[in-house]
Amino acid sequence: QAQLEESGGGSVQAGGSLRLSCTASDRAFSSLTKGWFRQAPGQDREFVSAIGWSGLATAYGDSVKGRFTISRDNANNTVSLQMDNLKPADTAVYFCAVRRGAYLSTETTDYEYWGLGTLVTVSS
């Protein structure tokens, strides 16, 4: 079964930065749409960002626009999320996801493959 593995989570103070990475075990994922979602305790899973197969098309949730940057390295089958100017409200488990369609969907139900998540904690 194809696997996605996130890394880079941790604890940081408000205003700090973290970089998340997600590596896929299936080479076929190198040409698929990839996204990041997050889920805070007691809340629904929320769209953070998505990127098309070429890396040219990107999308961001309103709460992270201007602070987060998504990128991908198809040769290494990875997708990364650079998170700057972090806020306590960014505290959540962050999940990497992959979908077969080209559209940069913001809906969790459109993504077929998911990682187990990595925890990001931002303190004030």
Side-chain angles (χ1 to χ4, degrees):
Q1 182 174 351
Q3 291 184 335
L4 298 170
E5 185 173 0
E6 302 93 341
S7 62
S11 297
V12 65
Q13 289 190 327
S17 298
L18 283 174
R19 185 177 180 87
L20 306 183
S21 292
C22 173
T23 301
S25 60
D26 189 334
R27 285 301 307 171
F29 285 9
S30 65
S31 61
L32 300 182
T33 299
K34 295 180 176 176
W36 288 96
F37 290 76
R38 67 186 183 186
Q39 188 167 19
Q43 298 186 21
D44 292 336
R45 197 165 294 191
E46 174 191 21
F47 172 75
V48 174
S49 185
I51 187 167
W53 73 270
S54 70
L56 295 178
T58 60
Y60 295 93
D62 289 341
S63 61
V64 305
K65 282 181 182 177
R67 300 188 298 121
F68 290 11
T69 304
I70 192 170
S71 60
R72 64 189 294 161
D73 179 350
N74 291 339
N76 292 304
N77 212 2
T78 61
V79 59
S80 299
L81 185 69
Q82 177 66 39
M83 306 186 296
D84 297 319
N85 190 21
L86 283 160
K87 304 176 181 180
D90 295 318
T91 295
V93 176
Y94 284 70
F95 298 89
C96 172
V98 173
R99 72 180 303 262
R100 297 191 176 280
Y103 176 64
L104 302 187
S105 176
T106 63
E107 301 296 328
T108 59
T109 53
D110 287 336
Y111 289 78
E112 293 90 351
Y113 304 97
W114 291 85
L116 297 179
T118 185
L119 177 63
V120 171
T121 303
V122 184
S123 59
S124 57

